[in-house]
Amino acid sequence: MKTNAFALQIAESIDIDTCKNHFKQTLLFSNSDELFFDFENQRYAYIFKYGIICVFNFAPNEMDQLRQQLFEFTTNAKLIDSSLTESIDIITDAESFSVDVDAVHLADNNIEKIRLIMLNASQSIILDYYLSIAEQLIEDTVQYTNFIETRGTRLYTDDKKHKHFVEKVLNSKNKISENLYIFDSPSAVSDDEMLTKLNTELKKKFEINDKHKTISQKLNIVKENLEFFKHIIVHRKNSKLKWIIIILIIFGIIGVLWNQSY
């Protein structure tokens, strides 16, 4: 039997707690980040707090209905580029297990295997999203560095703007770093040889580990740029303090000479 899993980013985040209380379908799995529902007739929906939904065996109109239901529980839905998607066919009556370019071939329709496929497809999207943010952070910091190197730190006098930029970049970097833990495998994987094998093949197919590594490398570059910006702030403050001290000393000397002359 050929079915399909389709994952899509619909928002920056989804309120998981509210969704959990909203849907009346059977909840097969849940934690603070994920909800996995049974919509009956071998249809499943996976909802992630990172703004991702993944459906299995849904018709296009059913996917649209689910998305509309979730809209009120989302943050920044209109700002998200909905082109971030993953689609994979799943063959559940295959003679043997395999993962190829177009599909995953399974000998049965074990629900944990299906959930694992949906999980990896969803993780692929959120990694693509974080990768795009990391690349934008690098671009922003490089432009900022070039501006400072071209204009010189003395010409840049807006410390508030400088601090705001650093804080914005740092917040985005920390947000990505804190959320990268979601790519740990489900606990059931480590206890089941078949699930472990499936998970390994899926990570290769969706390039999960490669994307994770690339994001980490880009975040390290951003971190180095932030350290450079912090150094500039400290240097500017120290320079200002030195000039204030020098000016005070000069005025002090002038005052002493003035008093001595009279």
Side-chain angles (χ1 to χ4, degrees), residues 10-140:
I10 65 171
E12 187 175 276
S13 64
I14 299 175
D15 188 332
I16 290 297
D17 291 334
T18 307
C19 287
K20 187 175 182 179
N21 296 325
H22 174 78
F23 288 96
K24 305 306 179 184
Q25 284 78 7
T26 302
L27 183 61
L28 300 178
F29 173 82
S30 69
N31 60 29
S32 60
D33 303 329
E34 311 166 13
L35 298 173
F36 186 59
F37 288 102
D38 182 353
F39 273 66
E40 299 181 344
N41 299 320
Q42 293 188 330
R43 295 180 304 134
Y44 305 102
Y46 218 152
I47 303 171
F48 298 83
K49 79 171 187 178
Y50 312 98
I52 308 295
I53 60 174
C54 185
V55 295
F56 173 80
N57 204 22
F58 269 49
N61 65 308
E62 293 173 328
M63 173 67 166
D64 291 337
Q65 291 174 6
L66 176 62
R67 184 174 181 177
Q68 290 174 5
Q69 289 184 67
L70 289 170
F71 184 77
E72 61 180 300
F73 311 130
T74 62
T75 301
N76 292 336
K78 295 181 179 180
L79 301 179
I80 293 298
D81 180 3
S82 59
S83 63
L84 285 177
T85 63
E86 283 286 1
S87 179
I88 183 170
D89 290 333
I90 302 173
I91 313 298
T92 55
D93 56 358
E95 293 183 1
S96 60
F97 162 74
S98 65
V99 177
D100 57 36
V101 176
D102 300 318
V104 177
H105 302 262
L106 303 173
D108 55 40
N109 60 351
N110 178 279
I111 186 60
E112 281 303 312
K113 294 177 183 177
I114 293 173
R115 183 170 81 89
L116 192 58
I117 295 171
M118 297 171 71
L119 175 64
N120 276 273
S122 300
Q123 288 183 348
S124 176
I125 293 179
I126 193 61
L127 279 171
D128 286 338
Y129 178 58
Y130 286 157
L131 183 58
S132 67
I133 295 177
E135 289 174 345
Q136 185 61 52
L137 291 178
I138 289 180
E139 183 178 336
D140 291 343

Side-chain angles (χ1 to χ4, degrees), residues 145-158:
T145 302
N146 290 338
F147 171 81
I148 294 174
E149 290 179 345
T150 303
R151 301 287 297 276
T153 58
R154 291 186 179 183
L155 295 178
Y156 188 80
T157 58
D158 193 345

